[in-house]
Amino acid sequence: MPSNIVLVTGVSGELGGKLLARLGNNPDFERVIGVDTSPPPKRIIARMGNAEFVRADIRNPLIAKIISAAKVDTVVHASTTAHPPGPARRTPVKEMNVIGTMRLLAACQRSPLVRKLVVKSTAAVYGASARSPAVFTEDSPLMAVSPKGFASDAVEMEGYVRGLQRRRPDITVTVARFTSMIGPEVDTVTTRYFAMPVVPTVLGYDARMQLVHSSDALSVLELATVREKPGVFNVGGDGVLALSQAVRLAGRAELPLPMPALPSVSRLLRGANLVDFSRDQLKLLNFGRVVDTNLLKREFGYAPRWSTREAFEDYVQGRALRPVIDGRSLSALLRKVALPSTNEHVPSQ
Amino acid sequence: MVDRNPVSGSGPTSATSVRDARDEAQDGQSAQVIPLRSAERGGSQRRRHAAEAVEQYGGAAVVNLPGSADVPGQRVRVEPTLPGHEAGADEAVPEAVAKALDFVRGRLTGEYDIDEFGFDPELTETMLLPALRMLYDKWFRVEVHGAENLPIGGGGLVVCNHSGTIPLDALMTMVAVHDNHPKQRHLRLLGADLLFRLPFVGMLARKTGHTLACHPDAERLLRGGELVGVFPEGYKGIGKPFSARYKLQRFGRGGFISAALRTGVPIIPCAIVGAEEIYPKLGDIKPLARLLGLPYFPVTPFFPLLGPLGAVPLPTKWHIEFGEPVRTDLEDGDAWDDPMRVLSLTDRVRESMQQLLYERLAQRGGVFGN
């Protein structure tokens, strides 16, 4: 039986809002309800078709009433923020992530009509350390870097999801673990990080980065809602960029800092309202994280359209980031200096 | 760019033929060899001379011109110094300079590729291998035996003895495999987590294609058809006292053998002779090691006595021997799940390595020569 009445959480976010708009314009659904504590942006509301917005807090017991009263059969939980883009107070975010998920899943368990659950999770659940394998598969153990970070919320949340699966085996559960999301329109910690003219990095480390374009993330969530795709899937673009390579591609200036200096720099950046450099994030800058996406391609049946590099270049172009250090002109200059004699022969077209 | 061709001066007909030929060449795979040959066929002394001049630098200083950017998906590279004939061939860009400039350009703009393990083949081949090669050729004068035992293609597990206090043996084996393999394959080593925790060292290890010694990574590399190198003795091997030299220590839990069994790749035993004597480890300052978070703090005859000077390895003569491959694809599908068979295969590999070591030791003339 295909999905009929869908509830989407976290629609005030970029991804949740766009998902609401996509599902709202899909004639197969009878009703599409978006919930969040604040309404989606105006441009989303204008495009959201049949979808409706209900201002509700998933931490509030009211959510159970909405699910049962609207006869919701499919729940898309897209409100978890693994890495809030900017400085956010820890307590409300944690409450939203953990308590909100608990409430929502409790409501799903209670309502007999709910048959499908789609959860947006993060690849940060695998952690990042010198002891981690280079590439994580879906069955790698989940261990958050620090017990207090946002990644640990995601680990906890996935624990609740597994609990629900055990108690209600009839519900189809899809968990999508996204790598760092990037794109011209989304606001994530990654997009804010590379928007800074001078990018602090960890001296002596060059992390491997795997990115997922926001449009691919959106398609995966949509597919999971429309079709029956039970399981846990890593979602990330093909290919890997080194952090230093990405810094050059974006034309940023790299500022390598010794490891002990980074926490104070991160506090400074936090204070300046620029980017939230949490402990998880620092570890990511140290070691990086790459996930295996074979399961996504084979079983889920979706091949990301953007590779890591294309996604990153799209972000650089879409944001119209002006290079601080222009590698192209620098190397042209170097060529001119090193080979003064040959330049006169090269056509100046 | 055609007008810049020295050949075009010799007449309109030949210029068109060159242009046609070049267009054809751009459609095909080879970029600029064909027009030169056609020019030579033209017969004129001048043209032949030009062709020679260019052939001399053919394939050397090749650089993308801005105009060639509109041919997507295909790198049409054009000789920038084609006018070399009139201007004098000595103005042509030397190969090394052009290569270096291309490399620097790639680094500055981020135009290069790394694999999911962080392996950067361009950087490895351009910067790191040449540096290691100096140590390999001049300092240790490494001699390689049995390189034909390395698989030409597909996965393979090279199992080596570990010694020398500092894992120079791993780096030298990497150079040995790359330089002696007909296809110049890269040996992907599996290292301890300490390696990846250290700044710079860990970064370079990733960039040269090495990864953490763990089951998922080993299997992933082997399944991907890579040549993987392991040092199953680990710290027990590399940090053993000088008195225990060339005695193979206990192999870990044999995880590498089960990885090879699972993927059905051959196991190539490898004996490294000469690395034991580069830093003769006489003692171990345990408290200092604990303080620094290292597995041991070595005391050699010169270190820490002579300070940094004591850290210069002794110039021993090295031999690296690759033994007969042990096939694992003949075992049945679930042999990796049978601990008895995994352990007996581990012992077999270990014995053949010890054998190789003793044979090579008996043959070598002295520690520092021959």
Side-chain angles (χ1 to χ4, degrees), chain B residues 282-303:
Chain B
L282 304 176
D284 184 357
I285 309 177
K286 286 236 158 62
L288 210 51
R290 253 198 303 280
L291 192 71
L292 298 173
L294 300 172
Y296 49 84
F297 190 89
V299 178
T300 72
F302 310 108
F303 184 83

Side-chain angles (χ1 to χ4, degrees), chain B residues 160-182:
Chain B
C160 321
N161 61 314
H162 214 7
S163 58
T165 312
I166 288 175
L168 287 178
D169 51 351
L171 299 174
M172 293 302 113
T173 313
M174 186 180 111
V175 181
V177 169
H178 182 263
D179 289 3
N180 290 284
H181 195 281

Side-chain angles (χ1 to χ4, degrees), chain B residues 13-259:
Chain B
T13 37
S14 73
T16 11
S17 83
V18 166
R19 197 176 286 130
D20 290 345
R22 171 154 294 182
D23 288 344
E24 275 170 35
Q26 282 190 348
D27 293 333
Q29 285 298 309
S30 56
Q32 86 277 44
V33 185
I34 295 168
L36 303 175
R37 292 233 174 96
S38 79
E40 202 174 24
R41 241 179 276 130
S44 122
Q45 185 82 27
R46 222 172 116 95
R47 261 178 271 149
R48 201 172 300 137
H49 193 89
E52 272 165 23
V54 173
E55 229 160 69
Q56 195 182 340
Y57 297 100
V62 279
V63 179
N64 264 339
L65 286 184
S68 66
D70 54 357
V71 190
Q74 171 187 0
R75 285 178 81 131
V76 179
R77 302 186 127 197
V78 181
E79 174 73 67
T81 49
L82 273 178
H85 175 55
E86 273 91 3
D90 50 338
E91 274 195 18
V93 188
E95 182 179 3
V97 175
K99 262 197 179 155
L101 281 172
D102 272 358
F103 174 74
V104 169
R105 185 194 143 83
R107 292 292 131 178
L108 283 173
T109 52
E111 301 284 338
Y112 55 93
D113 289 314
I114 62 171
D115 80 352
E116 54 191 6
F117 294 92
F119 178 39
D120 186 339
E122 194 195 36
L123 181 78
T124 306
E125 277 163 23
T126 327
M127 303 275 295
L128 304 169
L129 277 179
L132 289 174
R133 211 167 274 137
M134 297 217 283
L135 201 62
Y136 176 90
D137 282 333
K138 300 283 182 284
W139 196 258
F140 295 128
R141 296 147 286 140
V142 183
E143 226 170 275
V144 175
H145 314 266
E148 67 280 355
N149 288 324
L150 294 167
I152 295 291
L157 187 71
V158 181
V159 185
C160 321
N161 61 314
H162 214 7
S163 58
T165 312
I166 288 175
L168 287 178
D169 51 351
L171 299 174
M172 293 302 113
T173 313
M174 186 180 111
V175 181
V177 169
H178 182 263
D179 289 3
N180 290 284
H181 195 281
K183 282 195 185 161
Q184 305 217 315
R185 292 184 72 179
H186 291 278
L187 184 68
R188 312 289 296 264
L189 297 168
L190 304 182
D193 60 313
L194 171 70
L195 185 68
F196 298 99
R197 216 169 45 227
L198 295 174
F200 299 106
V201 179
M203 178 173 78
L204 286 176
R206 280 248 175 258
K207 287 198 187 292
T208 41
H210 312 319
T211 187
L212 183 74
C214 62
H215 237 289
D217 281 10
E219 259 191 66
R220 199 176 180 79
L221 280 170
L222 289 173
R223 268 189 218 292
E226 297 284 351
L227 206 51
V228 178
V230 286
F231 296 85
E233 295 170 273
Y235 293 130
K236 297 184 297 296
I238 191 168
K240 64 179 177 285
F242 190 58
S243 54
R245 60 189 178 279
Y246 299 113
K247 281 190 195 115
L248 279 183
Q249 303 295 300
R250 181 175 65 80
F251 280 10
R253 275 151 287 180
F256 66 100
I257 295 285
S258 65

Side-chain angles (χ1 to χ4, degrees), chain B residues 342-353:
Chain B
V342 171
L343 288 175
S344 70
L345 189 61
T346 311
D347 288 342
R348 227 174 91 201
V349 172
R350 190 170 179 273
E351 264 158 42
S352 65
M353 281 169 65

